[in-house]
Amino acid sequence: MKWVNVLGGIVGAAALLGLGIILGHFAIPKGSYVPTPSIFQDLDLEILESIMQQLDASRIRENLRELSREPHLASSPQDEALVQLLLQRWRDPESGLDSAEASTYEVLLSFPSREQPNRVAVGDPTGNVLFSCRQSEQNLTGEQGGPDVVPPYAAYAPPGTPQGLLVYANQGTEEDFMKLQAQGIKLEGTIALTRYGGTGRGAKAVNAAKHGVAGVLVYTDPADINDGQSSTNETFPNSWRLPPSGVERGSYYEYFGDPLTPYLPANPSSFRLDPDTVSGFPPIPTQPIGFEDAKILLCQVNVSVYNRLELRNSSNVLGIIRGAVEPDRYVLYGNHRDSWVHGAVDPSSGTAVLLELSRVLGTLLKKGTWRPRRSIVFASWGAEEFGLIGSTEFTEEFFSKLQERAVAYINVDISVFGVSLRLNSPPGQIPAPSLGGLSIYDNWIRYFNRSSPVYGLVPSLGSLGAGSDYAPFIHFLGISSMDIAYTYDRSKTSARIYPTYHTAFDTFGYVDKFVDPGFSSHQAVARTAGSVLLRLSDSLFLPLNVSDYGETLRSFLQAAQQNLGVLLEQHSISLVPLVTAVEKFEGAAGALDQRISALQKATPDPLQVRMLNDQLMLLERTFLNPRAFPEERYYSHVLWAPRTGSVATFPGLANACSRAMNTSLGSPAWAEVQRQLSILVVALEGAAATLRPVADF
């Protein structure tokens, strides 16, 4: 279930009424004191409030200081040191969890050569070097020049030394290159200078190669990240803006997971592809640079890229609290650990919150005053920056177990971008930082809102793409997922993301001085995530509102009718089956809500509660179709797959219509539109059937 629809209006509400169910108390380790489990166990609001009060901003601050002290690139010694730190915290005798283990995968990563640094230079026709771009960022605070600071590079870009005239290609989209060609500009053998945004990193190189471009440079434009400010006194360390030498690192791999073992965990025994035949890598040499260098490159450019591929060990760390009543139902809460450099915002702000929340829960656990109804799994993923590798390998290895038992996945990666909330569950009673008693819920509506036909003005929630570790859970496994972050007020800045993203300037001092002085926003995220985690793990009835899901389906349908209806009619394609399927879902969802309400007021059989919760938990899986998008790896969710078409409707339908738009009647492209429509109808009807009473086959 997409979280825009599943938790609306439940956080901060009264505890749900009803009975619980005992399933597997034997799984609790011997020797642990456990409050007597009961079929009556439900969310305890007093315990919830106690947890909210114990989450300490100063402890989060100290967590972040420790986590971001050293650069910790995936598989580096510093990354391994953080693995040991997490294990130590989660095995602490006074505040640890039931168990904590690290698991290791052997995965293909990409690094720049230390012996031959990547280089971008301007040359004249005789080969003389007239100008060379920086090979590292300016050492402004003493933290950018250490031996463990990886120089800027495009991970997975192939080695090569292309030379050619420079062509400015805007954001490197397919439309940008076609526009250049239409203007009579020769692209063959050129070097394309592009700016971040508009399309994914790797797509810039793919688009360029289609037009014969020999190499790609990518820079962060101050208009996109700094509100146009670029001088030294206007940027870090004098403000939160990106300094001129700042360079955004990143993975240019098109897919996620280990490149050599798609759909298989990267264990020693797994089959591996030949690295020379792997798809998804940039086809031509690519290198990121700073905007101070980008404005100088106006002529012949030489690009030397010496990246190399290496098999490296990368670890996930799991900390587990076993459920007292339903230990076979898992609520997962995770974030990645690795960063490109110090990574104070990305990802350590999220890990700092995770450690504080697990400390508070672990302390209650060790004191014997609390144990959740369902099991909680805390996760620290490895090698996310290279393509969500740790989380993807985990979902591949435990595919069946997770599909059968996982209730939800909560992701807190960058916990604080700035000063206003962006998340997927409204915590109504948690105070917003520095807003004079205004709740997070009210502050959320203040900045991001929409009108609901049922509830009126409610917080606006974005859909989940593939930007962090929730992607394999929602797109591959169909597990209800959410991502929580405090973001900045977009009425005050046009920055596409926080300015020092993936640079050597993302340090503890940057967060402490500019992003969240006092760490009150971090504390608010901890309370929000903690509230959601406790409600999912402790509530008798899972707080998943299926009727809200129907609002999204209805909005997708209306968009299709308004924007595609006439076109589809011209090709004898009817939306009537889709309309009927949406109506069936809405009817089944409303009936399920009524059954839940009736059970909450009665004394239901424990198995009735279990069956109903399973219907809620498994609903998301009904939208998976592994054959819906054969061109997309891991994407099987027919509602949340990537959408390339311009209409904000069901992605398969939108994409197929976009491709078929200028083709003839009866073409294969229009047959694909019909196929996608059928896939949707079957998925929605299957979802409606899942919501009906279990006895009504």
Side-chain angles (χ1 to χ4, degrees):
M1 231 166 286
K2 185 190 171 202
W3 288 93
V4 60
N5 306 302
V6 297
L7 288 178
I10 61 114
V11 181
L16 299 175
L17 303 175
L19 298 178
I21 180 170
I22 299 176
L23 289 175
H25 174 53
F26 60 85
I28 306 302
K30 293 181 179 179
S32 298
Y33 173 80
V34 184
T36 303
S38 166
I39 60 172
F40 294 97
Q41 182 172 337
D42 200 350
L43 178 68
D44 187 324
L45 290 180
E46 290 186 4
I47 289 179
L48 177 60
E49 179 59 27
S50 172
I51 290 169
M52 297 297 100
Q53 296 305 316
Q54 292 178 60
L55 293 166
D56 189 334
S58 64
R59 286 180 180 270
I60 297 173
R61 182 176 184 271
E62 290 310 307
N63 286 342
L64 184 62
R65 186 198 299 275
E66 186 167 9
L67 291 164
S68 61
R69 182 173 288 115
E70 301 288 342
H72 44 285
L73 191 65
S75 77
S76 67
Q78 294 80 13
D79 182 32
E80 177 59 29
L82 292 185
V83 169
Q84 298 307 314
L85 170 67
L86 285 153
L87 289 173
Q88 177 188 359
R89 294 282 188 94
W90 289 345
R91 291 171 177 170
D92 186 276
E94 295 184 353
S95 60
L97 312 179
D98 285 326
S99 63
E101 301 294 337
S103 59
T104 301
Y105 300 100
E106 188 178 37
V107 299
L108 188 71
L109 305 182
S110 166
F111 303 96
S113 170
R114 290 186 179 274
E115 296 75 27
Q116 290 182 291
N118 294 351
R119 182 168 174 264
V120 177
V122 174
D124 64 17
T126 64
N128 294 319
V129 175
L130 304 178
F131 170 78
S132 291
C133 291
R134 282 183 172 273
Q135 292 177 310
S136 61
E137 290 148 308
Q138 187 177 358
N139 192 359
L140 297 177
T141 63
E143 299 163 292
Q144 292 78 40
D148 298 318
V149 174
V150 67
Y153 76 112
Y156 297 109
T161 56
Q163 302 180 35
L165 294 174
L166 190 76
V167 174
Y168 177 69
N170 193 30
Q171 294 180 321
T173 65
E174 176 67 17
E175 291 74 17
D176 288 329
F177 286 107
M178 291 178 66
K179 186 179 294 185
L180 290 172
Q181 279 194 326
Q183 294 172 351
I185 296 173
K186 181 183 177 183
L187 296 175
E188 188 79 26
T190 62
I191 305 297
L193 176 64
T194 66
R195 61 191 176 97
Y196 276 112
T199 190
R201 299 186 192 101
K204 299 178 190 296
V206 171
N207 295 334
K210 291 178 183 176
H211 296 273
V213 173
V216 174
L217 301 176
V218 189
Y219 76 99
T220 301
D221 196 296
D224 298 327
I225 204 79
N226 283 354
D227 298 310
Q229 306 300 312
S230 60
S231 66
T232 302
N233 65 341
E234 295 170 326
T235 57
F236 183 79
N238 298 306
S239 82
W240 87 316
R241 299 187 182 100
L242 181 69
S245 68
V247 183
E248 180 180 321
R249 298 150 180 81
S251 173
Y252 284 66
Y253 179 47
E254 185 178 358
Y255 306 118
F256 47 86
D258 173 43
L260 299 186
T261 59
Y263 296 105
L264 296 171
N267 294 326
S269 61
S270 291
F271 169 78
R272 283 174 166 77
L273 300 174
D274 182 338
D276 294 333
T277 65
V278 170
S279 62
F281 292 159
I284 53 179
T286 305
Q287 177 67 19
I289 60 175
F291 65 76
E292 71 173 359
D293 289 331
K295 64 183 179 183
I296 297 174
L297 302 179
L298 299 174
C299 45
Q300 178 86 8
V301 174
N302 306 326
V303 179
S304 299
V305 175
Y306 300 104
N307 294 348
R308 63 183 188 273
L309 298 172
E310 294 185 24
L311 279 174
R312 292 280 191 93
N313 288 333
S314 180
S315 299
N316 294 335
V317 187
L318 301 180
I320 298 169
I321 301 176
R322 291 181 179 85
V325 179
E326 299 182 78
D328 62 332
R329 290 293 179 259
Y330 314 143
V331 180
L332 297 101
Y333 178 119
N335 179 32
H336 70 100
R337 182 184 60 256
D338 62 305
S339 67
W340 289 111
V341 195
H342 293 86
V345 177
D346 180 12
S348 299
S349 64
T351 305
V353 166
L354 181 152
L355 285 174
E356 173 61 3
L357 181 55
S358 64
R359 178 194 69 83
V360 171
L361 297 184
T363 300
L364 292 176
L365 187 71
K366 294 300 183 183
K367 288 180 177 178
T369 57
W370 168 84
R371 181 175 289 280
R373 178 185 184 84
R374 303 176 186 92
S375 294
I376 293 174
V377 180
F378 289 106
S380 173
W381 311 118
E384 184 267 3
E385 296 291 9
F386 287 83
L388 318 183
I389 289 178
S391 56
T392 302
E393 300 312 301
F394 176 78
T395 58
E396 290 169 338
E397 182 167 13
F398 300 105
F399 179 91
S400 297
K401 178 186 284 190
L402 292 170
Q403 277 210 321
E404 292 170 1
R405 305 178 187 176
V407 171
Y409 174 70
I410 303 167
N411 195 71
V412 183
D413 183 341
I414 300 174
S415 68
V416 178
F417 290 85
V419 296
S420 58
L421 195 67
R422 184 207 73 186
L423 50 83
N424 294 319
S425 168
Q429 295 178 341
I430 300 171
S434 306
L435 289 173
L438 192 68
S439 74
I440 283 183
Y441 184 86
D442 293 333
N443 189 43
W444 190 1
I445 291 180
R446 175 182 176 186
Y447 287 100
F448 303 98
N449 61 67
R450 68 177 180 89
S451 179
S452 163
V454 177
Y455 304 111
L457 196 65
V458 296
S460 177
L461 303 150
S463 59
L464 295 174
S468 192
D469 291 298
Y470 50 75
F473 289 93
I474 182 65
H475 295 300
F476 182 40
L477 297 185
I479 293 170
S480 300
S481 300
M482 66 183 303
D483 186 57
I484 299 177
Y486 233 97
T487 189
Y488 42 83
D489 183 354
R490 296 185 184 274
S491 69
K492 297 180 180 178
T493 176
S494 61
R496 62 180 176 84
I497 197 169
Y498 73 95
T500 65
Y501 174 68
H502 285 191
T503 74
F505 305 106
D506 182 359
T507 61
F508 172 78
Y510 178 78
V511 176
D512 200 33
K513 184 176 181 180
F514 299 115
V515 176
D516 189 21
F519 281 70
S520 59
S521 292
H522 283 79
Q523 183 184 46
V525 170
R527 288 173 171 172
T528 300
S531 179
V532 173
L533 179 64
L534 264 289
R535 292 175 186 278
L536 285 167
S537 62
D538 267 356
S539 295
L540 176 58
F541 291 92
L542 288 175
L544 307 178
N545 192 325
V546 294
S547 291
D548 286 355
Y549 212 145
E551 285 191 27
T552 295
L553 299 181
R554 175 61 60 176
S555 70
F556 279 5
L557 174 62
Q558 291 172 343
Q561 291 172 317
Q562 294 167 10
N563 297 283
L564 301 175
V566 173
L567 179 65
L568 292 172
E569 284 180 7
Q570 293 171 353
H571 291 266
S572 302
I573 299 174
S574 173
L575 287 174
V576 170
L578 183 60
V579 172
T580 302
V582 170
E583 290 172 348
K584 286 181 180 179
F585 181 91
E586 291 172 332
L592 182 66
D593 283 346
Q594 291 177 1
R595 293 203 305 277
I596 293 173
S597 179
L599 285 174
Q600 289 173 339
K601 298 172 183 176
T603 306
D605 182 287
L607 287 178
Q608 286 182 298
V609 179
R610 174 75 167 199
M611 287 189 295
L612 190 145
N613 280 338
D614 281 353
Q615 288 178 277
L616 294 170
M617 181 184 77
L618 297 173
L619 173 63
E620 199 79 61
R621 316 312 194 248
T622 65
F623 295 110
L624 297 183
N625 186 322
R627 294 177 178 82
F629 313 107
E631 73 283 1
E632 299 283 358
R633 188 178 295 177
Y634 294 106
Y635 289 102
S636 345
H637 203 299
V638 300
L639 301 183
W640 311 123
R643 180 172 54 81
T644 56
S646 60
V647 179
T649 185
F650 304 98
L653 181 62
N655 299 346
C657 284
S658 178
R659 290 190 292 265
M661 197 77 71
N662 298 315
T663 65
S664 60
L665 187 69
S667 69
W670 283 108
E672 176 61 15
V673 172
Q674 291 179 312
R675 188 181 82 92
Q676 287 294 335
L677 192 57
S678 294
I679 286 171
L680 270 177
V681 170
V682 169
L684 294 181
E685 289 181 342
T690 297
L691 297 181
R692 295 190 189 104
V694 176
D696 299 344
F697 185 74

